[in-house]
Amino acid sequence: MNFTTDYRLENFILQTQWADIPAPGQERLRGWMLDLLGALVAGSGSGQFAAGLALARRAFRSGDIAVIGAADTFDFLGASAAMGHASNAYDIDDGHNIIRAHPGTSFIGGLLAAGYECDLNAQDFLAALYVSYETTIRMGEAIMDYYQYAHSSGTFGAVGVAAGAGRIYGLDRAALNNILSIAEFNAPLVPGIRSVEYPSMNKDGVPFGVMIGALALLADQCGFTGNKHLLEADEYRRYLDDLGQNHEVMALYFKPYPCCRWGHPAIDACLALMAEHHVTAQDIKSVTVETFYKATQLSKGIPSCADAAQYNIAYPVAAAIVNNGFSIQQVENTNDDAVIDMMGRLSFVCDPELDAQFPARRLCRAAMVLKDGRRIVSDVHEPRGEACENIGYDWLADKFHRITAHRLTSPQQEVFIQRLHNDDWTVRQLISQVNAALL
């Protein structure tokens, strides 16, 4: 491979200002931040966050950086690691169809840790968030092509942490180039399909990507040198040609349900069919879900833990049919006999026409056989929250209410919704106020 270091990416990361981002992008960034805060607040009550906090206490140093959901304070690496365990705990964060991953969650822990230490104001932090998204998505496309393998969020997020934290800490372009090289070269090569077939806290590898990105920054400070990163290779330099012009962040989707995106259209197809025909769970004899091949690879076993409930297709669909929706409550309480019974009535098949449109689109239809002998079939459904819907702040505020209701009161939720929309915060103020509500 031939590489050319011209600092196009590094200059973009370091020089992009809030005013350079078009107004629709600025508004969307406020929404992303609210969505990521919701994922962190919800995740701070999870078993995965408890494990990450225990790891930070055992392996990393104490310091002055606060962590959402904990009274502990750590150094940059420890705080990044702890919050990296919370952000993807319920698989409720934003995503990008082409890289099949969750960019925001993959770096937000590291950016918040750096932003807290430097006490960034809202607009400076959101600008760092923007360049991290743009870098992560482009690097994700390059990595997917280079390895010809479906890696996942933690793989790409290591570079996103390096980009955003490097900017926040004021590195020059040569140092930033070095940490991007270190992070990309040593990123965890998360096997995405294994994580959906055999669900666990391994999931998207987010915590380990965050730690590698943070370690890259510290390694540079200790004299460790890398050499080139993939977006400098002749084969992949094209991904930088439209930096600042084509805003990849506008292609992100948002998730209404705390489970793998691949199961979302099946949930909506079933719920829409039930509403249209006034059907209840007790009326259903069997359900056949016709969808794309990758969705059929999701686990279908009875979940034994929260992670197995998320990276599953049968459980979320069955829980939605029984409860008229799917929420964190169902993720954490997986012993409902009615849901388990419904799982046994579901089958999943690949439809070649729907599969041909993956990964750009994730499509599904559902067919139900009712106990009275009728067979009803849904329209083709696509997950809600796609980029083409131009999701607004009100949609995300409603989601924030839903996913944080078990952690925050309604008045507390409204404070954060309004504050983030008005850019009326610094990172320290925000985390301190969240912790005052949570702890």
Side-chain angles (χ1 to χ4, degrees):
M1 299 179 74
N2 184 59
F3 294 81
T4 302
T5 301
D6 60 7
Y7 297 111
R8 277 195 298 168
L9 178 59
E10 292 77 8
N11 288 338
F12 169 79
I13 292 168
L14 296 174
Q15 296 173 10
T16 299
Q17 301 301 311
W18 176 249
D20 297 327
I21 304 168
Q26 292 180 350
E27 181 66 7
R28 189 64 70 88
L29 278 161
R30 297 182 181 102
W32 292 320
M33 187 60 205
L34 180 66
D35 201 53
L36 289 169
L37 181 64
L40 283 157
V41 168
S44 69
S46 69
Q48 181 163 321
F49 177 66
L53 195 57
L55 173 65
R57 289 167 179 159
R58 175 176 293 191
F60 305 122
R61 296 184 302 175
S62 61
D64 299 322
I65 302 176
V67 167
I68 289 176
D72 310 64
T73 55
F74 298 99
D75 65 0
F76 169 61
L77 182 54
S80 299
M83 287 189 281
H85 280 77
S87 60
N88 189 233
Y90 289 119
D91 203 20
I92 194 66
D93 37 87
D94 62 57
H96 189 277
N97 285 332
I98 301 304
I99 64 170
R100 308 179 211 176
H102 306 282
T105 188
S106 73
F107 54 69
I108 188 62
L111 264 64
L112 281 173
Y116 187 96
E117 187 163 34
C118 297
D119 198 23
L120 254 62
N121 64 41
Q123 293 185 355
D124 286 345
F125 185 80
L126 292 175
L129 194 70
Y130 167 73
V131 299
S132 291
Y133 271 116
E134 294 295 318
T135 302
T136 301
I137 294 166
R138 286 169 165 79
M139 186 64 81
E141 291 183 278
I143 288 174
M144 291 277 277
D145 182 78
Y146 179 67
Y147 288 101
Q148 290 293 298
Y149 189 82
H151 296 303
S152 196
S153 310
T155 306
F156 319 137
V159 180
V161 171
R167 171 192 169 103
I168 291 169
Y169 282 122
L171 272 61
D172 63 29
R173 66 182 193 176
L176 182 59
N177 178 268
N178 191 46
I179 66 169
L180 292 173
S181 170
I182 297 168
E184 179 261 308
F185 191 91
N186 295 286
L189 298 181
V190 181
I193 298 303
R194 265 180 56 195
S195 71
V196 303
E197 291 182 306
Y198 303 99
S200 70
M201 286 186 186
N202 278 333
K203 222 185 241 171
D204 277 32
V206 167
F208 293 88
V210 171
M211 286 188 279
I212 292 297
L215 278 170
L217 191 84
L218 299 177
D220 172 78
Q221 294 173 354
C222 295
F224 189 94
T225 56
N227 192 3
K228 315 301 181 191
H229 58 74
L230 205 52
L231 289 175
E232 296 177 306
D234 286 351
E235 295 90 332
Y236 303 114
R237 286 166 51 79
R238 67 183 187 277
Y239 290 120
L240 303 181
D241 289 344
D242 57 0
L243 277 173
Q245 301 169 37
N246 174 40
H247 306 283
E248 286 286 354
V249 287
M250 300 304 289
L252 292 172
Y253 63 72
F254 297 97
K255 300 178 70 175
Y257 304 121
C259 60
C260 180
R261 182 71 165 178
W262 297 353
H264 286 214
I267 293 173
D268 287 334
C270 289
L271 292 179
L273 197 56
M274 293 171 70
E276 179 184 355
H277 294 274
H278 307 289
V279 169
T280 69
Q282 290 72 33
D283 300 322
I284 298 171
K285 181 179 180 180
S286 64
V287 181
T288 300
V289 173
E290 302 168 358
T291 187
F292 53 97
Y293 174 69
K294 294 294 186 185
T296 68
Q297 290 186 283
L298 283 162
S299 172
K300 303 169 193 68
I302 297 171
S304 58
C305 62
D307 296 286
Q310 297 165 59
Y311 269 31
N312 194 307
I313 192 166
Y315 178 78
V317 172
I321 290 172
V322 171
N323 296 288
N324 195 36
F326 188 65
S327 69
I328 290 173
Q329 181 180 4
Q330 280 87 52
V331 170
E332 289 290 357
N333 300 291
T334 59
N335 56 357
D336 186 328
D337 290 339
V339 173
I340 294 171
D341 176 71
M342 182 58 67
M343 290 177 69
R345 304 186 213 175
L346 307 180
S347 60
F348 300 86
V349 297
C350 174
D351 181 292
E353 291 184 5
L354 302 183
D355 186 58
Q357 299 186 61
F358 179 84
R361 303 180 71 189
R362 292 99 190 272
L363 303 175
C364 171
R365 74 170 64 85
M368 292 182 176
V369 176
L370 306 182
K371 291 177 181 178
D372 64 9
R374 286 182 295 157
R375 183 178 185 272
I376 55 178
V377 181
S378 76
D379 294 329
V380 172
H381 279 256
E382 193 160 9
R384 288 185 292 125
E386 286 293 304
C388 61
E389 296 176 42
N390 294 315
I391 296 300
Y393 199 82
D394 288 345
W395 193 99
L396 294 166
D398 179 69
K399 174 184 171 181
F400 185 83
H401 276 289
R402 287 187 287 106
I403 70 172
T404 63
H406 64 303
R407 302 288 287 156
L408 300 172
T409 66
S410 182
Q412 289 170 337
Q413 291 171 323
E414 281 301 318
V415 167
F416 295 118
I417 289 168
Q418 295 303 318
R419 193 162 195 185
L420 265 65
H421 196 238
N422 295 330
D423 301 342
D424 179 26
W425 51 278
T426 70
V427 176
R428 285 187 190 175
Q429 290 171 348
L430 181 63
I431 292 180
S432 297
Q433 190 170 15
V434 171
N435 281 344
L438 291 176
L439 302 178

